[in-house]
Amino acid sequence: MSQLQQVKSSHYSLCYWQIGYWQKITLSIWLIALVIIPFADIEIVSFDPFLELTRMVNGLVTPDFFATEYLLQAILQTVNFAIIGVCLGLVLGAPLALIYQNPIVSSCCAFLRAIHEIFWALLFLQVFGLSPITGILAIAIPFAATFARVFHDIINQSSDSPLESIDSRADIISRFTYGKIAQVMPQLMSYTRYRFECALRSSAVLGFIGMPTLGFYMETAFKQGNYSEGAALLIIFIALIGSIRYWCPPKLLGIYLVIACVTLVDIPNVDSNLLVRFISQDILPPALVNVATLAEIQWSSLTTWFSTILSEQAIPGAIATITLALLALAATHFITLSTHAVASKHLCPAPLTWLGRFILLIGRSVPEYILAFIFLMLLGPSMLPAVIALAIHNGCVIAYLAVKQSNTITPQQMQMTRLNQFNYHIMPTIYPNMMALMFYRFEIIVRETAVFGILGIMTLGFYIDSNFSEIRYSNALVLITCTALLNVVIDIISRRLLKFPQTSKTRC
Amino acid sequence: MIIIDNLNLHYDKTAGYNTCKKTGKKETSTQVIFDLSLTINEGEKVAIIGPSGAGKSSLLHHIYQQLQTSAALCSQRQGLVDNLSIYHNIFMGALARHHWLFNLVNLIRPFKQDLHDIAALCQQLELDQPLAKKVDQLSGGQRQRVVLARALYQQQDTFIGDEPFSALDPLMKSRLLDTVLARHKSVIMVVHDRELAITAFDRVIALDKGRLVLDSQQQSIDQQQITALYQTNAVA
């Protein structure tokens, strides 16, 4: 008898200590975060965060909607940039989706996508100035590359069987539109709608570098301490994003596009000399300017220049970017789990889930960049505000999608408390998908992290921004390229490492 | 019209349904058709019968690939585009007859002439649903008739069907079969119903385990022989 028990218990203990795939992944995320915390700069530098916080909360409860001059103009321009940017992105990206299987096309798209909208804007700002062209192109180019990839994936995943029954003598355009495009039209539409929401966020954020959108007025208000005005702008922005489906049904998009083109602020004439100068001189490394032939190039000074940028700016910036992104990943995991628990109808009673969903709406509506800006004002310049901002925004996005999934699960017909039901049925069901979403978001986290440099955190964006302000365009260009390559490499590594299928089902 | 000589087909497990390869034995493939020789003349109405797994669909798809330019296929894998209306799904049969620009405009705004033709076709097939209805809202039998209508709307000389009436009731089945037979010069069809195969077709071919076991052109149809074919299979 005792022998039997022994055998049994040893057998059970073997089973018990097996660590599953997702547990390993979760543990490693947290282990990595714990290891790098000592090297990360996450102290609170602000003199008196609570005083600032009280003032902000005060502002939030007394929003002043009439403080902003040109408020309507700001909203209009935010929407205009987003609409024209998305439409231009569609026009450029949709045809690319058809030839995306070409490795040259797909790697070009991956590169264009990896450069953040703000970096594009900084680049175009030097050529076009504060013209609407800057804002529109900054949105359209990365969006076109994204559309190309996602549309390609969607079309590839559709069934081939309608094509079989179509007369093979029909021309390719007819066969493709009827057999393929018609099949996936709803997915293409809903993805475009989602990207429009993203474009609105990007458009607002472009205000932080001077474009006349909501972000511009928000930054000014917060910097001057007019928290009532800032809060009002933030509320307007959240309402604008939360109500897209009411004010922008797909049928009206054409009309909106016409209105957007008509009401766009005047486009100043592009100074062609400036453009030529920018391309032929400004963006060239110092050693190459005024060099007529290949023989005149001073290779040694070129290599010194390049290695200096690499060792003094690119590598420290990249290390800071990765550190911050990994910390943010762990924090995102925490926020995702906790907000999902609050908003899930399987765990909390109805009134609490409404509150949870409201939090999720706010969290995913406010761009990371604006959140980071607000937390920077509160906590001072360190990595901490960036980590919090990334965690809140991405955590809310993932939790929102997870709640959508978990709410479709029917609870088991068993006598169980809510907590047991949640832990034994709901979480095991949705956890893999949740984690997959989180790793898809990691690419976005890295992209955003780099941009936070503009706010003063020492990531790659910091060096890019300072090079732009010192009019060292060549350096900035090298660093932007490094940033893009870093994104592409991280994307490839995370896909290989986790062996996720290359689908865009969980794109976001 | 078509002459098949010593055909061997392999079914590739890793790929889809229709990728039968004539030669090249892979480890992942199993043979479904063995040394099959068959001649089908123009104007013949041929029924293919046999127990399930006999290789009927594979043979049929092979025949379709040979006759592609002059035949309309009504496959068991319906290949309807759920997101399009009944009208557009049936119109897909006519894509080859029009310029692509015409087809694109039709996708947005149906043309009167085709709308009229397709409405008449639907009436003949007893499909009394609004043409603008999306096909994902239809029942199994209604979907099958949309597939049939699309094949008929190709207006080809030859009709190749893989159990095109399996979800319909017997009376409707024979009425629709008459329509199909009347509208095409040659018909090659896999039929589940043995009675129907013998009474309505000129020629009956039976397959068993990938081999041709009966051809009514060479031997007179023996009802008992066919019954035995199904029974031995059921026992084995």
Side-chain angles (χ1 to χ4, degrees):
Chain A
M1 182 67 193
S2 67
Q3 239 180 350
L4 186 72
Q5 249 174 359
Q6 229 174 5
V7 170
K8 254 190 173 173
S9 68
S10 73
H11 174 72
Y12 277 123
S13 69
L14 252 180
C15 286
Y16 188 81
W17 286 110
Q18 261 179 15
I19 300 179
Y21 177 72
W22 293 113
Q23 283 159 319
K24 267 185 217 158
I25 300 262
T26 313
L27 277 177
S28 26
I29 291 174
W30 281 101
L31 266 178
I32 293 171
L34 285 178
V35 168
I36 57 177
I37 273 188
F39 304 101
D41 158 37
I42 49 164
E43 56 186 331
I44 298 175
V45 203
S46 181
F47 178 64
D48 189 355
F50 286 101
L51 181 71
E52 209 64 30
L53 187 67
T54 352
R55 292 187 53 209
M56 272 193 193
V57 172
N58 258 335
L60 199 62
V61 290
T62 57
D64 184 355
F65 291 95
F66 303 101
T68 316
E69 252 182 303
Y70 311 117
L71 177 64
L72 278 180
Q73 187 66 17
I75 296 175
L76 195 67
Q77 293 312 323
T78 310
V79 176
N80 282 356
F81 287 167
I83 285 185
I84 302 178
V86 166
C87 289
L88 191 62
L90 273 176
V91 169
L92 298 173
L96 283 179
L98 306 179
I99 50 166
Y100 194 80
Q101 62 272 31
N102 184 318
I104 299 171
V105 175
S106 60
S107 39
C108 280
C109 282
F111 186 78
L112 294 181
R113 219 171 37 223
I115 299 175
H116 194 280
E117 290 91 284
I118 289 194
F119 291 149
W120 280 115
L122 279 175
L123 215 57
F124 291 130
L125 209 56
Q126 319 305 327
V127 186
F128 302 115
L130 282 174
S131 142
I133 299 177
T134 306
I136 290 166
L137 282 182
I139 293 176
I141 291 178
F143 275 51
T146 317
F147 279 133
R149 186 240 167 114
V150 174
F151 282 9
H152 172 78
D153 285 356
I154 292 177
I155 292 171
N156 258 12
Q157 282 162 32
S158 67
S159 154
D160 271 335
S161 58
L163 283 183
E164 269 172 32
S165 339
I166 296 176
D167 195 326
S168 55
R169 288 171 306 170
D171 61 282
I172 182 141
I173 297 175
S174 304
R175 275 190 301 166
F176 195 71
T177 44
Y178 277 76
K180 282 278 189 187
I181 302 289
Q183 212 186 131
V184 293
M185 208 54 201
Q187 282 126 285
L188 299 184
M189 293 286 278
S190 82
Y191 185 72
T192 308
R193 203 170 314 148
Y194 164 76
R195 285 309 287 188
F196 179 59
E197 195 184 312
C198 298
L200 269 181
R201 279 197 285 263
S202 302
S203 172
V205 167
L206 289 181
F208 281 76
I209 56 162
M211 303 306 296
T213 59
L214 276 173
F216 178 74
Y217 298 98
M218 229 181 275
E219 191 195 17
T220 321
F222 274 104
K223 279 224 167 125
Q224 292 173 346
N226 298 333
Y227 292 132
S228 296
E229 187 190 345
L233 288 168
L234 207 57
I235 291 169
I236 290 173
F237 181 62
I238 293 171
L240 195 66
I241 285 192
S243 62
I244 285 181
R245 68 182 132 150
Y246 302 111
W247 60 265
C248 193
K251 278 179 191 165
L252 291 183
L253 200 66
I255 301 169
Y256 273 106
L257 182 62
V258 174
I259 296 176
C261 291
V262 172
T263 58
L264 204 63
V265 278
D266 293 331
I267 299 175
N269 285 333
V270 179
D271 186 352
S272 57
N273 287 332
L274 208 66
L275 186 66
V276 171
R277 211 193 105 121
F278 183 74
I279 293 172
S280 65
Q281 290 193 2
D282 291 354
I283 58 169
L284 292 178
L288 292 184
V289 182
N290 302 325
V291 172
T293 60
L294 208 62
E296 285 177 44
I297 299 174
Q298 293 171 306
W299 291 106
S300 60
S301 82
L302 191 66
T303 18
T304 336
W305 168 79
F306 188 71
S307 56
T308 318
I309 296 183
L310 218 56
S311 61
E312 285 177 10
Q313 302 188 343
I315 292 173
I319 291 172
T321 307
I322 294 171
T323 313
L324 179 48
L326 286 170
L327 282 180
L329 186 69
T332 303
H333 184 250
F334 172 73
I335 296 276
T336 306
L337 289 184
S338 41
T339 49
H340 170 255
V342 176
S344 170
K345 70 171 183 184
H346 297 286
L347 186 64
C348 294
L352 207 56
T353 62
W354 295 335
L355 179 70
R357 288 201 198 170
F358 185 64
I359 294 172
L360 291 186
L361 171 72
I362 292 176
R364 74 194 167 92
S365 298
V366 185
E368 295 106 316
Y369 196 84
I370 292 175
L371 281 176
F373 175 74
I374 294 172
F375 282 112
L376 265 172
M377 314 240 11
L378 272 178
L379 305 171
S382 75
M383 282 190 182
L384 190 63
V387 171
I388 297 175
L390 285 167
I392 290 181
H393 180 76
N394 292 296
C396 286
V397 171
I398 300 165
Y400 168 74
L401 294 169
V403 167
K404 249 186 173 178
Q405 191 198 355
S406 74
N407 279 354
T408 59
I409 301 172
T410 39
Q412 287 195 338
Q413 300 297 319
M414 218 194 279
Q415 283 300 318
M416 265 202 259
T417 60
R418 273 169 171 256
L419 187 64
N420 284 338
Q421 176 84 257
F422 186 76
N423 286 338
Y424 277 78
H425 181 51
I426 307 297
M427 279 314 281
T429 317
I430 64 163
Y431 198 69
N433 196 22
M434 203 188 236
M435 292 300 277
L437 278 172
M438 214 169 84
F439 282 101
Y440 280 114
R441 285 305 288 193
F442 187 61
E443 189 192 346
I444 298 171
I445 291 179
V446 177
R447 217 167 156 259
E448 290 290 335
T449 307
V451 168
F452 283 175
I454 296 174
L455 292 170
I457 301 156
M458 301 287 270
T459 59
L460 278 163
F462 174 80
Y463 299 100
I464 294 172
D465 192 38
S466 32
N467 274 315
F468 269 121
S469 47
E470 290 163 18
I471 329 185
R472 294 178 210 270
Y473 298 137
S474 49
N475 298 21
L477 207 66
V478 170
L479 288 175
I480 287 181
T481 313
C482 289
T483 314
L485 289 177
L486 179 73
N487 281 340
V488 172
V489 168
I490 285 180
D491 187 36
I492 293 171
I493 291 177
S494 63
R495 269 169 219 280
R496 286 272 163 83
L497 218 60
L498 295 151
K499 295 199 184 71
F500 287 141
Q502 291 228 2
T503 60
S504 53
K505 192 183 76 188
T506 39
R507 86 286 146 154
C508 59
Chain B
M1 185 170 70
I2 184 166
I3 299 167
I4 296 171
D5 190 30
N6 273 335
L7 176 72
N8 284 292
L9 286 180
H10 295 270
Y11 175 69
D12 192 357
K13 279 178 195 162
T14 55
Y17 184 84
N18 202 14
T19 51
C20 295
K21 285 185 181 158
K22 272 181 234 169
T23 50
K25 285 172 192 166
K26 279 192 202 161
E27 280 176 33
T28 50
S29 68
T30 41
Q31 191 162 6
V32 283
I33 297 285
F34 299 86
D35 303 322
L36 188 137
S37 299
L38 181 69
T39 308
I40 296 173
N41 298 315
E42 211 166 305
E44 270 188 316
K45 319 271 196 229
V46 183
I48 303 176
I49 60 168
S52 58
K56 296 168 302 206
S57 296
S58 302
L59 177 64
L60 203 73
H61 278 91
H62 176 76
I63 294 175
Y64 175 62
Q65 264 153 25
Q66 308 294 308
L67 296 176
Q68 217 162 43
T69 51
S70 63
L73 175 73
C74 188
S75 168
Q76 225 171 7
R77 280 210 308 187
Q78 299 173 329
L80 289 177
V81 179
D82 282 337
N83 191 38
L84 287 180
S85 65
I86 295 179
Y87 167 78
H88 282 119
N89 269 288
I90 297 176
F91 181 84
M92 276 165 73
L95 286 179
R97 291 203 290 276
H98 300 291
H99 191 258
W100 59 267
L101 208 59
F102 180 95
N103 293 335
L104 284 192
V105 175
N106 179 67
L107 203 54
I108 298 157
R109 198 175 175 80
F111 286 103
K112 273 233 169 71
Q113 182 60 43
D114 288 282
L115 213 53
H116 184 76
D117 292 350
I118 286 172
L121 186 62
C122 285
Q123 205 169 17
Q124 201 176 4
L125 298 182
E126 300 165 44
L127 190 67
D128 51 351
Q129 293 290 322
L131 287 184
K133 200 171 182 180
K134 287 194 175 176
V135 292
D136 58 355
Q137 296 164 343
L138 299 181
S139 71
Q142 287 166 341
R143 284 174 70 94
Q144 213 168 31
R145 275 172 284 162
V146 175
V147 179
L148 184 66
R150 187 182 57 191
L152 291 179
Y153 204 56
Q154 288 195 29
Q155 300 171 359
Q156 300 275 28
D157 285 343
T158 309
F159 179 91
I160 295 179
D162 193 354
E163 297 187 28
F165 315 119
S166 58
L168 307 178
D169 68 78
L171 284 176
M172 192 191 276
K173 200 185 276 189
S174 64
R175 284 198 300 270
L176 294 192
L177 181 60
D178 289 341
T179 311
V180 172
L181 291 173
R183 276 172 168 254
H184 295 92
K185 218 194 254 174
S186 326
V187 174
I188 304 167
M189 195 186 287
V190 171
V191 184
H192 209 65
D193 185 340
R194 283 167 275 159
E195 291 291 332
L196 198 67
I198 295 166
T199 52
F201 288 84
D202 308 343
R203 182 178 172 192
V204 178
I205 288 170
L207 289 185
D208 186 27
K209 299 191 187 90
R211 291 172 206 280
L212 187 70
V213 291
L214 186 136
D215 187 345
S216 67
Q217 202 180 38
Q218 284 137 25
Q219 58 229 89
S220 60
I221 305 176
D222 184 353
Q223 181 72 43
Q224 280 177 340
Q225 207 178 345
I226 295 176
T227 317
L229 175 71
Y230 279 84
Q231 275 171 352
T232 50
N233 198 273
V235 171

